[in-house]
Amino acid sequence: MKRFVTILPGLGPDLLASVRGRRSVPSWLSRKRTYLLPAARHALYWGWKASGFPRGSGVLVPAFVCNSVTQPLEQAGARIILFNVNADLSPDWEDAARRARDAKALLWYHFLG
């Protein structure tokens, strides 16, 4: 079986539309505050929207990043502020601290999943 990764954008209006029909939420999750989303990029978009930050607010993001992370944030109104990453993929906290005065949030994730 061949597998491929699509080059089509993942945050089109049709993918952000509400799902019709009932979806079950696991019993251990709050039904009032839980949203089922098809991809992490959607969670980044809606998470930023839910933060209530004004449009153009900065978010610190490691410079070793792909557009699947930055694009949803930008579409939600965030301004990406990149900070350096060391050769071992650990954060360069000194560089992050220098850039932090313009940021409302910090996004960090594990590069290897």
Side-chain angles (χ1 to χ4, degrees):
M1 172 194 302
K2 292 184 180 181
R3 294 180 185 216
F4 67 93
V5 177
T6 180
I7 61 170
L8 301 174
L11 274 176
D14 56 323
L15 293 177
L16 293 175
S18 297
V19 175
R20 288 185 174 81
R22 185 181 169 119
R23 301 280 186 206
S24 63
V25 174
S27 61
W28 49 271
L29 288 174
S30 165
R31 284 183 167 71
K32 292 180 181 177
R33 297 177 22 163
T34 300
Y35 298 91
L36 299 177
L37 300 169
R41 62 183 14 236
H42 295 219
L44 288 167
Y45 176 89
W46 289 111
W48 188 263
K49 291 296 238 185
S51 74
F53 294 135
R55 188 163 195 76
S57 294
V59 57
L60 281 169
V61 178
F64 185 68
V65 67
C66 68
N67 67 354
S68 293
V69 173
T70 57
Q71 182 186 32
L73 291 168
E74 288 174 327
Q75 287 180 338
R79 181 174 46 85
I80 305 300
I81 303 170
L82 298 174
F83 68 92
N84 292 327
V85 177
N86 298 315
D88 65 355
L89 299 180
S90 65
D92 180 343
W93 290 121
E94 289 179 12
D95 186 53
R98 280 192 295 275
R99 299 169 192 273
R101 69 182 167 296
D102 296 330
K104 296 278 188 187
L106 165 70
L107 174 71
W108 186 255
Y109 52 91
H110 194 288
F111 290 110
L112 304 176

